[in-house]
Amino acid sequence: MLMEEVLRRENVMAAHKRVVQNGGAPGVDGMTVDDLMPYCREHWARIREALFSGTYVPQAVRRVEIPKPDGKGIRTLGIPTVLDRLIQQALLQILQPIFDPTFADSSFGYRPKRSAHGAVRRAREHMAAGYRWVVDLDLAQFFDRVNHDIVMARVARRVKDKRVLHLIRRYLQAGMMTGGLVAPRTEGTPQGGPLSPLLSNILLDDLDREVERRGHRFVRYADDCNVYVQSKAAGERVMASLERYLWRRLRLRINRDKSAVARPWTRKFLGYSVTVHRAPRLKVAPQAVLRLKAKLRLILRRGRGRSLAGVVAELGPVLRGWVAYFRMAEVKGSFEELDGWLRRKLRCILWRQWKTPRTRLHQLHKRGLDLDRAAVSAYNGRGPWWNAGASHMHTAIPTWQLHRQGLVSLLAEHRRLACTS
């Protein structure tokens, strides 16, 4: 039976290893990942028996709100306890090999050996083949609106062990704690648990199969789905018919404000956009650049009272991670623009730290400017941002000096990754 496979010692130990690797915040009980193994040594026999008998009841998830990447609104996460994350991970490791081979080839999100990069490549292939209109579908509050009965019916197509089905439903229905009060949940699968991505793919596989049945080219990554067609009229027909299908079959609604039938180069997909060429070239979407700047500003604001080397060291991992994700971009303009913006921000920090005209005069002269030029520059009365972009600060703080302190050049890092990939 399937529950025996889920609770097999090797599977549970592998699940424990993954939960510890993933880390994450404690749930409502305050238990950390470091506390999990000692707790399980003492209580696992009782927990295991409750899981076998079907009497195990998951604890409520802890509500956490984070800003959405575009800065518009908030995203609600539900953080399970580390014990429930362990059990969900053990379930996932057994269920994923059952369901994943049956998923559509155009589905890329939260699947083994698939990635956002694969989804972006597939999307570019469709555009290069002449499908130069996109039906960009955004599902309204998808993870909050999943219908429990519908998703359980899809799981039950391949899972016959009633104990496993009962446990999954209990995880779907686990309440959400806010301010010490637990609110029951009748729909949705909160982001934050290991099982939620698989359940979302199981549910949306119906959408994939419907789009395939109609013969359309498409790419889906989690709840982000793009269908590629050859005309605006065809796109509008597809949008209307899929909107009806999603509501009637899956009880899901499209967010009309964020969905559109448009040219691909006016939209973004997983942070990437494309050029208008017949053979489209990948580029970083403007929204992704703005999100990175917002993230970097938080680090830079904290740097006003610190050494420049300390600020640069904190920036390094963020910049390298961002370039690694966007290494497929073929248009380099965003990397050059960000490099220049970041260098100016760092020079701006120094100008602020020098504070008084007298100190600025001393620092500029010490860094190679002749006394007259240093005096004119120090007493010019302009603001920090203007001075950070002026020639006197470029002379005093040359680019090579910033790189010697460890500043990552986005353009150079992109070139390095492009050569090694």
Side-chain angles (χ1 to χ4, degrees):
M1 296 292 283
L2 205 58
M3 185 61 87
E4 280 74 12
E5 283 297 305
V6 171
L7 297 179
R8 190 165 44 87
R9 176 179 171 80
E10 293 80 6
N11 186 56
V12 174
M13 293 304 294
H16 175 268
K17 183 177 180 181
R18 175 56 66 89
V19 169
V20 172
Q21 283 175 344
N22 290 343
V28 295
D29 61 356
M31 188 188 300
T32 67
V33 291
D34 294 330
D35 301 328
L36 181 57
M37 181 58 81
Y39 181 86
C40 286
R41 286 196 183 104
E42 185 176 351
H43 299 283
W44 184 248
R46 173 182 58 79
I47 296 165
R48 191 171 185 271
E49 179 55 37
L51 289 165
F52 273 131
S53 65
T55 59
Y56 180 81
V57 179
Q59 293 190 66
V61 298
R62 183 167 66 87
R63 182 187 180 99
V64 175
E65 294 180 346
I66 60 171
K68 288 187 175 181
D70 58 7
K72 298 177 182 176
I74 58 170
R75 175 170 289 137
T76 301
L77 303 183
I79 309 299
T81 64
V82 289
L83 175 61
D84 283 322
R85 297 209 293 267
L86 170 70
I87 297 169
Q88 286 193 38
Q89 181 65 35
L91 280 167
L92 175 67
Q93 290 167 182
I94 298 302
L95 294 176
Q96 190 137 40
I98 295 172
F99 284 96
D100 193 79
T102 71
F103 290 152
D105 183 55
S106 294
S107 166
F108 286 85
Y110 308 117
R111 297 184 60 189
K113 299 180 180 178
R114 286 177 171 249
S115 67
H117 288 159
V120 171
R121 288 191 196 97
R122 182 70 60 84
R124 181 176 57 179
E125 289 171 10
H126 294 328
M127 290 177 247
Y131 294 81
R132 292 167 64 80
W133 287 88
V134 62
V135 182
D136 187 350
L137 294 173
D138 184 275
L139 300 179
Q141 297 178 304
F142 170 70
F143 285 94
D144 297 332
R145 297 282 176 82
V146 168
N147 183 288
H148 292 173
D149 291 336
I150 293 175
V151 74
M152 287 308 304
R154 272 68 181 164
V155 175
R157 290 171 181 172
R158 296 187 174 275
V159 173
K160 303 305 177 186
D161 190 325
K162 291 185 178 179
R163 297 168 298 178
V164 173
L165 293 173
H166 186 60
L167 182 59
I168 293 171
R169 184 176 280 276
R170 281 190 166 175
Y171 273 120
L172 286 171
Q173 294 175 336
M176 184 172 287
M177 180 174 286
T178 308
L181 298 176
V182 177
R185 197 167 65 243
T186 57
E187 63 178 4
T189 170
Q191 293 169 272
L195 207 51
S196 291
L198 176 63
L199 295 177
S200 69
N201 273 335
I202 291 171
L203 180 64
L204 290 177
D205 190 57
D206 276 24
L207 171 63
D208 297 342
R209 297 306 178 186
E210 178 64 16
V211 178
E212 280 185 339
R213 186 186 67 78
R214 299 180 186 188
H216 296 309
R217 296 184 177 225
F218 77 102
V219 183
R220 183 176 65 79
Y221 190 95
D223 59 335
D224 198 346
C225 183
N226 280 4
V227 183
Y228 294 89
V229 294
Q230 292 180 305
S231 70
K232 184 177 182 180
E236 289 171 347
R237 287 195 300 272
V238 170
M239 174 73 82
S241 61
L242 288 181
E243 186 173 20
R244 289 193 299 271
Y245 174 84
L246 283 163
W247 175 247
R248 290 173 181 173
R249 187 71 180 267
L250 302 179
R251 285 293 180 264
L252 295 172
R253 292 199 181 277
I254 288 175
N255 184 335
R256 271 291 181 175
D257 292 334
K258 294 184 178 179
S259 301
V261 177
R263 293 293 197 177
W265 48 87
T266 67
R267 308 292 292 179
K268 66 178 178 66
F269 181 55
L270 302 177
Y272 282 86
S273 188
V274 294
T275 63
V276 300
H277 301 98
R278 283 289 171 185
R281 300 170 66 204
L282 294 174
K283 64 179 185 178
V284 181
Q287 299 93 322
V289 174
L290 293 175
R291 284 201 296 271
L292 177 64
K293 284 185 174 180
K295 189 172 185 177
L296 295 178
R297 281 191 184 97
L298 296 176
I299 299 173
L300 293 165
R301 282 195 197 106
R302 295 197 299 267
R304 291 178 183 175
R306 298 163 54 197
S307 71
L308 202 64
V311 179
V312 165
E314 192 175 350
L315 291 169
V318 177
L319 297 175
R320 288 191 180 90
W322 193 85
V323 178
Y325 180 77
F326 286 106
R327 65 181 179 271
M328 293 198 308
E330 297 157 290
V331 178
K332 311 297 193 302
S334 296
F335 301 97
E336 292 176 305
E337 187 267 328
L338 281 165
D339 273 339
W341 177 84
L342 192 52
R343 290 193 296 266
R344 188 169 179 177
K345 279 286 189 182
L346 292 172
R347 292 183 180 113
C348 191
I349 287 175
L350 283 177
W351 187 263
R352 288 179 185 277
Q353 287 180 350
W354 294 342
K355 292 185 179 178
T356 66
R358 184 175 179 178
T359 303
R360 289 165 182 164
L361 167 61
H362 171 71
Q363 289 291 342
L364 291 171
H365 183 51
K366 185 176 78 170
R367 293 166 186 266
L369 274 70
D370 65 66
L371 197 56
D372 288 342
R373 187 183 176 197
V376 171
S377 301
Y379 286 88
N380 63 38
R382 302 268 193 165
W385 182 246
W386 185 91
N387 277 284
S391 61
H392 53 268
M393 282 299 282
H394 282 255
T395 302
I397 316 293
T399 298
W400 65 263
Q401 194 175 99
L402 293 172
H403 291 319
R404 192 170 68 179
Q405 292 200 52
L407 178 64
V408 173
S409 166
L410 294 162
L411 185 60
E413 183 73 3
H414 180 266
R415 285 173 179 157
R416 185 186 69 80
L417 292 174
C419 290
T420 57
S421 61

